[in-house]
Amino acid sequence: MLYTAAMRLRVEIHGAVQGVGFRPFVYRLATELGLNGWVINDSQGVFVEVEGSQPILQSFLDRLPAERPPRAIIQSLEAGWLEPVGYTTFEIRHSDNRGAKTVLVLPDIATCPDCLAEVLDPANCRYRYPFTNCTNCGPRFTIVESLPYDRPNTSMRRFRLCPACRSEYEDPRDRRFHAQPNACAVCGPALALYEPRQDGPDRPAPEAPPSVGAGKWAVTFEGDAALLQAAAALRAGRILAVKGLGGFHLMVDARNALAVTRLRERKQRPDRPFALMARDLEQVRSCCEVPPAAESLLASAEAPILLLRRRADAPVAAQVAPDNPYLGVMLAYTPLHHLLTRELDFPLVATSGNLRDEPICIDNAEALERLSGIADLFLVHDRPILRHADDSLAWILLDEPRLLRRARGYAPLPVLLDHSLPTVLAVGAHLKNTVALSVERQVFISQHIGDLETPEAMSAFERVIADFLRLYEATPAAIAHDLHPDYLSTRWAREQTAQLIPVQHHHAHLAACLAENRVPGPALGVIWDGTGYGTDGTIWGGEFLLGDAAEYTRVAHLRPFRLPGGEAAIREPGRIALALLWELYGEAGLGHEYLPTVQAYRPAERRLLGQMLSRGVNSPLTTSAGRLFDGVAALIGLHQQVNFEGQAAIALEFVADETVEDAYPFPLLDRPASPAADMGSAAPLPFAPPAAPLILDWQPLVESILADLRRAVPASIMAARFHNALVEAIVAVAQAVAQAAGQPRVALSGGCFQNRLLTERAALRLRAAGFEVVLHRLVPPNDGCISLGQVAVAAARLMKGT
Ligand SMILES: [Zn+2]
Ligand SMILES: [Zn+2]
């Protein structure tokens, strides 16, 4: 044997390298190459030492990143050469839990093909076992208590591995080597079915109201019998609460209009779309048009809900997504879901197990209490969920998958930046809240928490923050919060002792869009949403901000209008339409009896609204584009009242005829320089903004709509002309700003850019006009991105010392 001088190689790997089979992979590679040494992981990453000849060590070093396990993410790999010490074997050493916590916690991963095949194979010992998993799939984030990711630090601690599972767990050549949630029917979690306690032998009829209160429920079936009984209940049109990976779902037969309606009534959710869970791609294809990019996203390890165009013949009741050309569909993503959906030959409604907009239930007792007025029966298991993770929601826009809600499958993976940031905790917005924490180059963004409107949501918010700080052992240098003084997140921040950095809402949108795309800025941010607190105390939302993470100038905005009744106007777009009319024609505008909006209000109500508007009582000024959408939707007769924010605007999008090319006039007015020109910061900008904000005047636009209404032009044409007007206005402002400040980059952010028609047309028109367009991908354009933006702004200010 040819002898070459032995050397020792030391490798340090950081990233998502725990819970993905990284150590067994290193073991297999080292033993295959005949190398001796060891591998260990700790709370920072994976460390390897191997000894052998230099060419073989080099081959080891090359193959390490190239052949890494599919779910591993390597953020850095550092190697060093040392003198050999004479290792005689290769071993996997026990985890060490000292040091800073910078290793990535992985999100939960959809069932892998290998595990699914086992679950469906009658000859396999895991046949029909609903908690099958391996190092390539299964729960992670929702079962981790602390780092490093080892079984005693997870909610699997309570299940003692049986001899068969233990030998898999300890065998480096096994797919389940150190698969922390490894389990089987002998030793692992099990199913139970809760049904109403009853005295008589008869089951309650499907339409009977469910029992209320946790004490009204009793276990009636266990194991596979529980699953089969649950499937039978779904076939019978009953509402099933199912404990899954990151919380409970409420499920019902998606074809059954009565059952879906009953779920809507009990959940007090009259018309927001419900998501569907499908057995396989074939079932998705029976419901929706599925382009190739959609197939791979649906079947991905992240397995989000994907918005797809609904087929006319979809076996889905209209009540699942009323008046909506799209359906949100996900594939079964745990063995439990696979087994349940395979018992049924129809798609299921699978909506979050919560009441209205409260956080999703994760605990059995809590679910039996909180969902007891909604579900007819509960399919639960005894693997505790340590933190909630809603289903993520994605869409494919301009050929790229993009997120609209970032949770299961994505959180808590960080957004990676180009440079290291000070440690900042950001508490997010009020609606669609997420929180974020920067640790060096990484910004960890929490799973979707939801609207901070209820005590349950507030406690979930506080729990997630405590969880983040504990998991990453971080001490923030500052806490970033929204400028709005009444947001509960702002109030929470003000009770803390850390340095506070208030961040304007729309500036956070711009900074988030730039940060996730790693654009250092500056850019023209077109930030259109429903509501954000402006630096002048009015409600902003139709904003053009020129700047970067550190500073911005408000270069243009919509002409302001009033929201009579404030919050009430959000629920009642008819009020906004009347406010627009009042702005143009005064009292007389409220007497245009030919308008559906005017007809919807009694003369006395109109008089009252007119008084509010003329006195400016409880009628805050706004420049919100979202509210202009609402007002126009009401004006053309789509919705005078809504059940959720954005409903009228969504209706306006869906009614629009996409073949219409012409646009209403929406002129850009120059306004003389005035002290009202808002400077985001006193520091000089590296570019020359226009002297004062330009104003987009909606008066000619509204007048044209009124003219079309008098001529009985169809709503589909009016809606399209309105969308086209907004697109042209965006391009006009971008061109004006480019002329004044030479800025060729435009970032689109804010809830309005969940509108496909608006976003696609704006992006394409801007690109055609020579602009570089920056769009969200990893975080949503809605307020789910605010925490990332707050981190970026606060960190930029800390670094600049401003
Ligand atoms: Zn697996
Ligand atoms: Zn076992």
Side-chain angles (χ1 to χ4, degrees):
M1 193 173 109
L2 188 71
Y3 179 80
T4 47
M7 294 183 78
R8 177 161 56 119
L9 173 68
R10 186 181 161 81
V11 192
E12 224 182 289
I13 306 137
H14 299 279
V17 288
Q18 287 187 11
V20 293
F22 206 90
R23 285 178 302 163
F25 153 69
V26 173
Y27 175 93
R28 285 191 297 268
L29 185 60
T31 47
E32 181 195 321
L33 292 171
L35 300 171
N36 291 332
W38 48 262
V39 58
I40 193 169
N41 61 1
D42 71 4
S43 49
Q44 294 177 304
V46 167
F47 301 86
V48 188
E49 282 198 14
V50 276
E51 286 184 3
S53 71
Q54 205 269 343
I56 293 179
L57 290 175
Q58 188 58 51
S59 154
F60 175 84
L61 195 54
D62 295 341
R63 289 176 63 182
L64 207 55
E67 297 174 18
R68 67 182 186 279
R71 302 301 307 160
I73 301 167
I74 295 180
Q75 288 184 332
S76 74
L77 188 152
E78 287 163 41
W81 298 89
L82 305 161
E83 284 297 310
V85 293
Y87 294 123
T88 52
T89 57
F90 191 89
E91 62 186 34
I92 296 177
R93 292 191 174 168
H94 283 291
S95 300
D96 178 357
N97 53 10
R98 287 164 300 176
K101 313 276 175 162
T102 53
V103 76
L104 299 184
V105 180
L106 274 184
D108 302 315
I109 306 166
T111 305
C112 75
D114 291 338
C115 286
L116 180 58
E118 289 179 358
V119 169
L120 300 179
D121 174 8
N124 192 281
C125 65
R126 286 194 175 78
Y127 179 56
R128 296 192 67 82
Y129 181 59
F131 305 97
T132 303
N133 63 79
C134 72
T135 44
N136 299 320
C137 73
R140 297 285 185 280
F141 183 51
T142 54
I143 60 165
V144 180
E145 203 164 74
S146 58
L147 293 174
Y149 177 63
D150 256 339
R151 190 159 172 125
N153 295 337
T154 71
S155 69
M156 286 301 291
R157 185 176 51 219
R158 61 157 72 177
F159 302 98
R160 260 184 92 83
L161 288 162
C162 71
C165 285
R166 175 160 294 284
S167 77
E168 293 172 328
Y169 184 85
E170 288 175 349
D171 179 358
R173 289 155 307 180
D174 196 281
R175 198 171 94 246
R176 298 202 164 89
F177 176 76
H178 279 237
Q180 308 306 344
N182 188 26
C184 74
V186 174
C187 66
L191 290 175
L193 190 73
Y194 280 85
E195 294 185 272
R197 282 182 198 283
Q198 44 186 300
D199 306 322
D202 299 328
R203 296 199 171 286
E207 58 278 5
S211 305
V212 175
K216 298 281 172 65
W217 302 89
V219 173
T220 51
F221 292 91
E222 289 180 323
D224 208 33
L227 187 128
L228 295 174
Q229 191 63 26
L234 286 168
R235 271 187 231 107
R238 299 172 77 194
I239 298 171
L240 176 70
V242 183
K243 184 179 182 182
L245 208 49
F248 276 76
H249 281 123
L250 289 161
M251 292 188 175
V252 79
D253 178 352
R255 302 166 310 175
N256 186 329
L258 278 176
V260 176
T261 304
R262 203 150 51 227
L263 176 58
R264 288 205 173 280
E265 285 165 6
R266 292 186 191 166
K267 205 175 176 256
Q268 298 176 36
R269 177 161 154 153
D271 31 31
R272 272 171 82 171
F274 283 145
L276 298 179
M277 182 178 279
R279 181 182 56 207
D280 50 22
L281 280 171
E282 194 195 334
Q283 198 170 57
V284 179
R285 282 192 214 100
S286 75
C287 301
C288 303
E289 292 165 27
V290 188
E295 283 191 17
S296 51
L297 187 56
L298 284 166
S300 68
E302 291 80 10
I305 301 168
L306 184 57
L307 290 178
L308 293 169
R309 218 165 248 286
R310 177 197 178 110
R311 280 173 58 131
D313 59 350
V316 175
Q319 291 80 353
V320 169
D323 304 318
N324 196 317
Y326 296 91
L327 288 172
V329 191
M330 66 188 137
L331 287 180
Y333 58 83
T334 70
L336 172 57
H337 298 141
H338 282 291
L339 291 168
L340 189 61
T341 52
R342 270 156 211 267
E343 290 299 317
L344 308 165
D345 56 358
F346 48 84
L348 289 169
V349 164
T351 185
S352 299
N354 56 10
L355 185 63
R356 284 188 300 263
D357 298 321
E358 289 176 0
I360 188 169
C361 287
I362 59 174
D363 178 72
N364 291 355
E366 174 203 11
L368 288 170
E369 185 69 47
R370 277 172 58 200
L371 303 181
S372 75
I374 305 176
D376 294 311
L377 65 175
F378 290 79
L379 183 61
V380 307
H381 58 75
D382 54 354
R383 182 178 68 204
I385 299 174
L386 295 185
R387 51 182 75 74
H388 79 278
D390 290 85
D391 296 316
S392 292
L393 175 64
W395 64 339
I396 295 174
L397 181 92
L398 296 166
D399 299 324
E400 263 196 75
R402 301 168 193 276
L403 287 177
L404 295 171
R405 180 170 66 213
R406 189 178 183 276
R408 177 182 53 76
Y410 300 92
L413 282 182
V415 169
L416 196 62
L417 307 179
D418 279 330
H419 53 274
S420 196
L421 299 185
T423 304
V424 174
L425 172 70
V427 295
H430 184 64
L431 301 176
K432 299 186 167 65
N433 180 275
T434 57
V435 301
L437 177 72
S438 50
V439 179
E440 298 169 359
R441 281 177 59 209
Q442 305 174 136
V443 183
F444 296 96
I445 304 167
S446 76
Q447 68 274 41
H448 169 85
I449 297 170
D451 301 350
L452 301 183
E453 303 260 281
T454 57
E456 286 83 1
M458 249 344 257
S459 72
F461 165 83
E462 290 181 352
R463 218 166 36 236
V464 169
I465 290 175
D467 193 39
F468 257 43
L469 296 180
R470 190 176 49 82
L471 211 51
Y472 299 105
E473 292 184 352
T475 310
I479 297 178
H481 64 84
D482 197 275
L483 212 52
H484 200 305
D486 297 329
Y487 277 6
L488 294 182
S489 54
T490 302
R491 290 196 194 154
W492 181 90
R494 288 186 172 164
E495 287 162 11
Q496 313 305 311
T497 49
Q499 179 190 351
L500 296 184
I501 301 181
V503 177
Q504 201 280 323
H505 187 88
H506 303 94
H507 186 207
H509 270 292
L510 170 61
C513 193
L514 297 180
E516 69 144 305
N517 285 288
R518 297 211 209 175
V519 172
L524 172 66
V526 183
I527 318 297
W528 284 8
D529 66 2
T531 303
Y533 193 85
T535 54
D536 56 3
T538 68
I539 300 167
W540 292 10
E543 310 308 311
F544 295 83
L545 308 182
L546 179 60
D548 53 22
E551 54 211 339
Y552 72 93
T553 308
R554 188 189 194 197
V555 292
H557 58 79
L558 298 195
R559 172 176 161 181
F561 51 93
R562 289 192 181 275
L563 296 176
E567 286 289 312
I570 297 176
R571 294 187 297 272
E572 224 181 294
R575 287 177 179 238
I576 300 173
L578 291 180
L580 294 173
L581 292 171
W582 183 87
E583 200 82 34
L584 297 188
Y585 307 109
E587 212 62 57
L590 307 187
H592 287 352
E593 296 279 357
Y594 69 96
L595 294 170
T597 273
V598 173
Q599 291 160 16
Y601 290 86
R602 290 193 301 274
E605 290 173 316
R606 279 183 256 148
R607 258 196 313 281
L608 193 67
L609 283 171
Q611 282 165 7
M612 282 170 85
L613 287 163
S614 53
R615 292 178 197 153
V617 177
N618 190 20
S619 300
L621 278 172
T622 186
T623 55
S624 163
R627 297 288 92 85
L628 183 65
F629 260 98
D630 287 350
V632 168
L635 205 55
I636 71 173
L638 297 180
H639 279 283
Q640 306 306 326
Q641 298 193 343
V642 293
N643 291 313
F644 61 92
E645 198 198 353
Q647 187 178 11
I650 291 168
L652 196 58
E653 176 193 355
F654 291 161
V655 78
D657 177 346
E658 300 193 9
T659 64
V660 173
E661 298 284 340
D662 62 321
Y664 290 130
F666 197 4
L668 184 57
L669 306 181
D670 263 315
R671 209 173 64 169
S674 79
D678 172 37
M679 298 298 287
S681 112
L685 292 163
F687 36 80
L694 307 168
I695 303 292
L696 275 173
D697 185 11
W698 41 260
Q699 176 161 356
L701 184 152
V702 171
E703 285 169 345
S704 304
I705 293 174
L706 295 179
D708 274 357
L709 279 164
R710 281 191 293 267
R711 283 177 306 187
V713 171
S716 58
I717 294 180
M718 291 189 284
R721 287 176 176 161
F722 173 69
H723 278 82
N724 295 341
L726 298 181
V727 170
E728 294 312 314
I730 288 172
V731 175
V733 174
Q735 282 169 336
V737 172
Q739 220 163 37
Q743 183 46 250
R745 189 184 290 134
V746 180
L748 306 181
S749 185
C752 292
F753 295 105
Q754 297 171 100
N755 177 320
R756 182 183 294 271
L757 185 58
L758 174 69
T759 312
E760 280 184 349
R761 287 210 170 162
L764 294 175
R765 276 285 285 123
L766 284 166
R767 281 182 194 159
F771 291 94
E772 174 196 341
V773 180
V774 188
L775 295 172
H776 285 286
R777 295 171 299 128
L778 310 173
V779 294
N782 61 42
D783 283 1
C785 79
I786 290 293
S787 62
L788 171 63
Q790 289 172 342
V791 162
V793 171
R797 290 195 177 149
L798 284 173
M799 288 188 293
K800 277 199 164 181
T802 55

